[in-house]
Amino acid sequence: VDDYVDTTFNKRRFELYETCAASKNTLFVNGVGLPQPATVKTTQAQGTDWEGVVLDATAAMDVGSHVKSCKRAVLMLNKAAILVIDHVALQHVALAEARFHTHASVRRSKSAARLKGEKTILHLAFAASVPATVKLSTGLPTHPPREPDTVVRWLTNGKHCEMALVTLMTPNDPGRVTLDDRKKKVRAR
């Protein structure tokens, strides 16, 4: 929080934009992220030329759709790119969304975004197991002088019982990512 107000220190502090899920780079199911407080199981993952963590938020998510699985893998590829794989499975249909916040200048297309900072460019390439699209929105900072962040939203176009959202982040040069949901394979380059 940029400026302390009474709310910062009381039981409603997680309703402030800066402290709630809406301001975080996280996965949302039916419009909500992790509740406060929450814990997730974290597992280290490693393979040839990649390493990272898998965050299992299944037990923490309560979105009214009876979550079977809610996981996010954050992987470093060849020490040159980051791959984020979000997977959600539910008993009832739901929406899913991956959010990324930035103060950089953003250009978007249907399945990509370009973030231009002062010294470098970050490219985001997206893939999904269901129809999805990239949308931009603006954050809602509590402190009036603070400039709002831009939110890059990678979200499903409709409701599904199971979905995967994949994001490849590459500096300087655009990357490409594809998802073969039948074979459960992601290709990033």
Side-chain angles (χ1 to χ4, degrees):
V1 177
D2 287 342
D3 188 28
Y4 294 120
V5 292
D6 287 347
T7 319
T8 309
F9 303 102
N10 75 25
K11 64 184 179 182
R12 296 186 65 185
R13 73 180 311 265
F14 292 111
E15 294 177 44
L16 293 172
Y17 174 73
E18 292 83 359
T19 57
C20 74
S23 71
K24 307 303 179 212
N25 297 329
T26 191
L27 176 63
F28 289 76
V29 178
N30 279 338
V32 298
L34 288 170
Q36 291 290 343
T39 57
V40 299
K41 180 182 175 188
T42 305
T43 307
Q44 188 173 354
Q46 192 169 2
T48 306
D49 297 327
W50 64 270
E51 62 181 320
V53 295
V54 177
L55 307 168
D56 186 343
T58 306
M61 290 298 281
D62 179 16
V63 295
S65 295
H66 305 287
V67 176
K68 293 181 187 178
S69 176
C70 182
K71 296 181 180 178
R72 169 172 270 192
V74 181
L75 310 172
M76 175 70 81
L77 308 178
N78 295 318
K79 299 187 187 225
I82 294 175
L83 182 67
V84 178
I85 304 170
D86 294 311
H87 181 264
V88 179
L90 308 113
Q91 289 182 0
H92 306 289
V93 293
L95 300 166
E97 173 181 348
R99 289 187 187 169
F100 304 94
H101 296 256
T102 183
H103 284 283
S105 172
V106 180
R107 267 194 355 214
R108 73 162 177 97
S109 65
K110 185 178 177 183
S111 62
R114 178 180 174 264
L115 286 62
K116 184 176 184 203
E118 291 180 23
K119 297 182 181 180
T120 191
I121 295 172
L122 180 67
H123 295 272
L124 280 64
F126 301 102
S129 63
V130 297
T133 192
V134 178
K135 297 283 184 180
L136 298 180
S137 63
T138 302
L140 303 167
T142 305
H143 191 55
R146 181 176 184 215
E147 286 298 316
D149 49 326
T150 298
V151 186
V152 179
R153 304 172 63 205
W154 177 226
L155 59 158
T156 60
N157 290 344
K159 298 175 186 174
H160 303 274
C161 284
E162 185 170 0
M163 57 217 107
L165 296 170
V166 180
T167 307
L168 176 66
M169 299 179 215
T170 55
N172 302 317
D173 296 318
R176 290 184 43 178
V177 64
T178 57
L179 170 63
D180 184 341
D181 196 43
R182 290 176 311 226
K183 294 181 182 177
K184 306 289 185 206
K185 288 191 174 185
V186 175
R187 281 192 172 32
R189 42 178 185 225

